[in-house]
Amino acid sequence: MWFRLRDRRLAGFKFVRQESVGSYVADFCCREAKLIIEIDGSQHADNPRDTIRDTWLASQGYRVLRFWNAEAMTNTIGVLDTILAALPPSPRVRGEGRDDLVVGATSGSEGEGACPPEPHSLPPPHPRLPPRFGDDEVAEALSPRAGRGGDSG
């Protein structure tokens, strides 16, 4: 689950793990959305301490989502979709980032706040890495000599 939540991989929301909240420790926490995700084993079934804990966290403005270990392992996409549904609208702007943040997510480019589709263009190159081109024609067209006229080879 951490692999799917870390590095703002879930719609741009920052999650941290093993976050202290008061005297409790949350498995995963999105501070900006005040959302706590707990992945629990069977020892948490009907645990009165968890009820007290969840009540206190709610009094602090947090929402707690609990999932069984087995569900997180066998239905990861469903768990991520449930988490995504509990989050406010994404902080990402106009769909920036990877398309596969949540494979099963039903959201797309439609809906409230959607921008009209723009023509596809290549993302800007990474500022610290040199460009890599698969064919020489593209590399030649983008070389420093491109667009200077007269010099054909």
Side-chain angles (χ1 to χ4, degrees):
M1 188 57 58
W2 177 235
F3 177 78
R4 298 296 186 109
L5 294 176
R6 65 183 287 207
D7 296 330
R8 296 185 182 271
R9 290 179 181 166
L10 186 66
F13 287 94
K14 179 174 177 63
F15 281 86
V16 294
R17 63 181 175 167
Q18 299 300 302
E19 173 76 357
S20 293
V21 182
S23 61
Y24 301 105
V25 177
D27 289 342
F28 306 104
C29 179
C30 177
R31 295 180 195 125
E32 64 187 305
K34 294 200 107 176
L35 180 66
I36 292 174
I37 309 300
E38 291 293 318
I39 309 295
D40 296 328
S42 60
Q43 71 274 15
H44 289 273
D46 301 321
N47 186 332
R49 290 185 198 168
D50 286 341
T51 304
I52 293 167
R53 178 182 190 266
D54 291 353
T55 301
W56 185 85
L57 290 168
S59 75
Q60 302 304 303
Y62 285 91
R63 182 171 177 196
V64 179
L65 296 180
R66 292 184 178 277
F67 301 95
W68 292 108
N69 290 336
E71 184 178 14
M73 296 297 291
T74 61
N75 185 20
T76 305
I77 300 305
V79 169
L80 291 170
D81 280 344
T82 302
I83 295 168
L84 191 59
L87 291 166
S90 174
R92 288 190 186 242
V93 193
R94 296 190 311 155
E96 69 182 358
R98 294 178 31 199
D99 291 336
D100 61 344
L101 292 173
V102 179
V103 177
T106 57
S107 63
S109 61
E110 299 176 8
E112 184 178 338
C115 296
E118 296 179 8
H120 293 300
S121 62
L122 295 174
H126 190 281
R128 290 180 279 170
L129 298 176
R132 294 181 0 184
F133 302 104
D135 65 62
D136 292 335
E137 186 176 291
V138 172
E140 183 66 25
L142 297 177
S143 72
R145 293 182 292 144
R148 297 192 182 181
D151 186 22
S152 60

